[in-house]
Amino acid sequence: MAASVAAAVGGLRRAIRRSPSWRGPSCRPLSSEPPPTKATAVRDAFLSFFRDRHGHRLVPSASVRPRGDRSLLFVNAGMNQFKPIFLGTVDPRSEMAGFRRVANSQKCVRAGGRHNDLEDVGRDLSHHTFFEMLGNWAFGGEYFKEEACSMAWELLTQVYGIPEDRLWVSYFGGDPKTGLDPDLESRDIWLSLGVPASRVLSFGLQENFWEMGDTGPCGPCTEIHYDLAGGVGAPQLVELWNLVFMQLNREADGSLQPLPQKHVDTGMGLERLVAVLQGRRSTYDTDLFSPLLKAIHQGCRAPPYLGRVGAADEGRTDMAYRVVADHIRTLSVCIADGILPGMSGAPLVLRQILRRAVRFATEVLRAPPGFLASLVPVVVETLGNTYPELQKNSAQIANLVSEDEAAFMASLQRGRRIIDRTVQRLGPSDVFPAEVAWSLSMSGDLGFPLDLVELILEEKGVKMDPAGLARLAQEEAQRQAQQAEPVEEKGLRLDVHALGELQRQGVPPTDDSPKYNYCLQPSGGYEFGTCEAQVLQLYTEDGTAVASVGEGQRCGLLLDRTNFYAEQGGQASDRGYLVRVGQQDVLFPVARAQVCGGFILHEAVATEYLKVGDQVQLHVDKAWRLGCMEKHTATHLLNWALWQTLGPGTEQRGSHLNPERLRFDVATQAPLTSEQLRAVEITVQEAVRQDEAVYMEEVALAHTAHVPGLRSLDEVYPDPVRVVSVGVPVAHALDPASQAALQTSVELCCGTHLLRTGAVGDLVIIGERQLTKGTTRLLAVTGEQAQQAREVGQSLAQEVEAATKRLSQGSRDVVEAQRLSKDIGRLTDAVDTAVMPQWQRRELQATLKVLQRRANTAIRKLETRQVAQKTQELLQRHSEGPLIVDTVSTESLSVLVKVVRQLCEQVPSTSVLLLSPQPPGHVLCACQVAQSATPAFTAEAWALAVCSHMGGKAWGSRMVAQGTGSTADLEDALRTARAYALNQL
């Protein structure tokens, strides 16, 4: 009998560890209970329960876009917005500082980053990228374990009416290795609430101990589980609610210390709770999803949804239903909160989600064009009353989804044709060429991430070339590093002999005027035209001119015309791809373009045979080009703002930009102050806010010779030269009588620019250093990156203010003072390395320097007081004699050493050894021998004898030594110390 019980408990533990996905048949109800409760009522009941019965303040859901949290792509838990409270960094003047007990329903997204459910969505009946987290919190010890458990049990059993015999609980069973005791308090609370001991299970660190990160608040948690089986056969447990009790702090050295204030943090997924209350085995069978599934069926030519998974789901139809339903919720919520599909970070993840949804909708469900956007009103209908930002932004959400869906549909069709054509040429054992897969992924307009290529190939039974992809990824990383700090690149170039041969043949310079053929559409987006050209010459990697190149060969292409911007004037080269006219299914990826004596050489990879005379069509990577345009216009605004702030003596010494950031070198009479850096940013922001037109025109170089305020570099310009003017037409700007160039940015420039300044969004100077005396290098970001940098700066400023308040309040003991000192040190490191406004970084660095000095002084004062107190206590316990061997309660080895030293100063003829027990089972040791002791009696040998006995180590000199060890029997260690000393004396 005991063996069968043990086996059953073991099975339950394995089941809980697995957190089983709910599997079909999904539509089978869990019970024959009354009509299901609507999800809206479930959410409202939760919030009303905590507000009306238990006095909680209801707070709105935070945006899924993290504010100043550098560790997250998306808000993925209810506690994210309350991190400042847990970390003790909340702004004391903020509303949040007054929170004591609160509750809410938080929008959460788990996709990308550490918590990533994206690839699991659709494969089972429970995973989601977007979900709602119901939670209640108690801060600063407002209430703790007993109240939290009682409230949870009351809500589930009395308000929601879940039968008690369907609920199981788990608690933290302790961990001997780390010295953590079991959370018997939680166990006893559950037993007192009437939960049978057979349904109260203990687990270890992995299951029932919650940590925020590598350091910070943490503590045991207790979980409430629901039994899907309902007593029929073996229990099938799924987690409903997690109650976290933050009572400890993980220090930088890995040790755990009690928190000065305890907190409660609970979280329960609404989708899973609704499934339980509506008697469904799948979250997709609840009224949170059924309107979407119905709309998908009505809008597609697919069979109805049946809730199948795995092999039973023929053609993956039901998987596609779940993917589309989940992803359109995520897209709607994220776009409403200001996260738009993009090329990096959270926007890139959102772009992948959108394109995954489009692919399943079109290829599996056979949805018509524009279908995905038609689901947005259904999402707004189900969630809009709870999250009004969905109603407010519904039109924008639908438009963005529709535009990106249309763009990806064209890319998907072309990408599939390219893959199909390549696969047809492969042998039975051939792998898919890495160059083709890489070209699809790097051509930003196609939007074909490698995982999508791999998925399509998996369906065809073809494998990728991982070694080739790794090589190409390394080359791309090197190229990106060179763009961050440009150096002379080794690559294809036309030497003097090649250029001479072209001139001898009468080949005219490349016409690159099509690079300026783009326009601003009414929707606010840019349209970039394609360009048809003829291949005039091909070059191998060593610069040899050839008539043709073969598959997989890296080559240089010389064309009669191009719309690619070749790197010059500090702007990074365009990248993109070209295709042969009439053969759109074969892409030749172009990594960069460069100017060589008036000719523009395109560095490409031949994915198929290509020869001189071929007609090709060129496509620039739109996102890459637009990023460069944004940064280049921002560079002009920065140059103007520096001139305005620092005076006419300011001169540009150089610049470089790519879509990620811009670098600007400026000659100044003195280093920039924090106030000047901030003033420069404000000037740029004003120009951006006004959304001024950017005018560009080619004029005779002579017309620019005597224009006051016109900015240019000390270099040779072509004639005619291109002039870029912000807010003022070029003709007016160049009129010497107008003085316009003194009032706005007017520069000689061949780069590509925005047509209006508003698209810059914002500019933040994130770095500044002296290159040489009188020359300063500035680093800046724009747009979304700039906004994130400001949020990071604001978050760190709040943490510094909170640290200032903690220091002003004083520390109760050495441990608390040392923790504060370490926190200030970590905060200093964060400020030093964060992407944030440079002016703010300087101010915070100065503040932190003062705080660190004050914290260290406080530690010294507390240690001195503690040392004096411990010394007097020991002197009172020990009468005069040659030896003091005892224990002292202190967490600091330095304090222990100082107590030993002070004892020996007050009783010079006495030798002293002190031990201090530490959790979990560790021991600190310090000793000093009297000068009158025999030469054979040394402190180092004494400490070594004691610490070796405890399995540790020791170090020091003849007079003073210290060490560490571990033992559960401290008295035995003290006896060893006394015996050794008496033997020597």
Side-chain angles (χ1 to χ4, degrees), residues 209-500:
F209 193 88
W210 186 89
E211 301 203 42
M212 186 180 293
D214 295 334
T215 61
C218 56
C221 62
T222 183
E223 296 174 334
I224 305 174
H225 303 266
Y226 180 80
D227 180 11
L228 296 173
V232 181
Q236 300 176 37
L237 303 184
V238 292
E239 179 192 332
L240 268 188
W241 206 341
N242 188 9
L243 286 65
V244 179
F245 306 121
M246 296 190 192
Q247 59 192 63
L248 300 170
N249 193 75
R250 177 75 69 182
E251 303 293 329
D253 60 4
S255 64
L256 291 168
Q257 299 293 339
L259 277 175
Q261 290 189 320
K262 298 176 181 179
H263 311 289
V264 172
D265 163 24
T266 85
M268 176 165 55
L270 174 67
E271 290 76 9
R272 186 168 289 182
L273 174 63
V274 170
V276 166
L277 296 178
Q278 294 183 359
R280 304 297 181 184
R281 282 187 171 268
S282 167
T283 52
Y284 289 95
D285 291 332
T286 67
D287 65 330
L288 286 168
F289 287 91
S290 53
L292 277 169
L293 297 177
K294 181 180 178 181
I296 292 170
H297 176 57
Q298 292 174 343
C300 299
R301 296 185 296 275
Y305 177 71
L306 298 177
R308 300 164 301 181
V309 294
D313 183 17
E314 295 181 10
R316 301 194 301 169
T317 301
D318 290 344
M319 177 181 177
Y321 267 99
R322 291 187 290 269
V323 167
V324 173
D326 171 86
H327 288 8
I328 191 60
R329 282 169 31 111
T330 305
L331 288 163
S332 299
V333 168
C334 288
I335 294 172
D337 278 348
I339 304 176
L340 310 183
M343 297 302 292
S344 63
L348 176 59
V349 175
L350 197 64
R351 188 172 187 243
Q352 293 169 343
I353 290 172
L354 191 151
R355 298 191 167 193
R356 189 170 187 256
V358 170
R359 181 169 178 265
F360 274 96
T362 56
E363 296 192 352
V364 180
L365 299 176
R366 294 173 293 171
F371 168 72
L372 204 59
S374 72
L375 297 177
V376 171
V378 185
V379 177
V380 174
E381 179 67 26
T382 56
L383 295 175
N385 288 334
T386 305
Y387 307 113
E389 59 273 14
L390 285 166
Q391 296 174 335
K392 178 182 177 183
N393 299 296
S394 60
Q396 181 198 17
I397 298 168
N399 289 337
L400 278 169
V401 170
S402 180
E403 289 175 8
D404 217 277
E405 179 182 359
F408 183 56
M409 280 301 301
S411 302
L412 186 62
Q413 293 170 5
R414 174 179 288 180
R416 268 205 170 277
R417 289 198 300 266
I418 293 168
I419 292 173
D420 291 343
R421 182 184 178 91
T422 306
V423 168
Q424 288 172 5
R425 301 201 310 268
L426 297 178
S429 59
D430 289 347
V431 295
F432 194 81
E435 286 78 11
V436 177
W438 190 257
S439 68
L440 284 168
S441 69
M442 292 304 293
S443 299
D445 301 331
L446 288 180
F448 246 76
L450 287 172
D451 58 352
L452 179 55
V453 178
E454 188 172 16
L455 191 62
I456 294 174
L457 291 176
E458 184 182 319
E459 295 169 356
K460 298 177 178 295
V462 178
K463 293 185 177 180
M464 293 235 276
D465 175 12
L469 288 172
R471 172 179 53 80
L472 293 170
Q474 184 177 11
E475 292 175 3
E476 175 64 18
Q478 292 172 347
R479 185 178 293 110
Q480 294 284 357
Q482 288 170 340
Q483 286 171 347
E485 283 293 336
V487 296
E488 189 69 19
E489 288 191 63
K490 295 180 180 179
L492 292 169
R493 290 193 178 279
L494 299 181
D495 61 20
V496 63
H497 304 292
L499 290 172

Side-chain angles (χ1 to χ4, degrees), residues 5 7 38 161 182 335 587 693 831 847 959:
V5 171
K38 295 286 187 183
I335 294 172
L587 268 69
V831 169
T847 301
M959 295 296 297

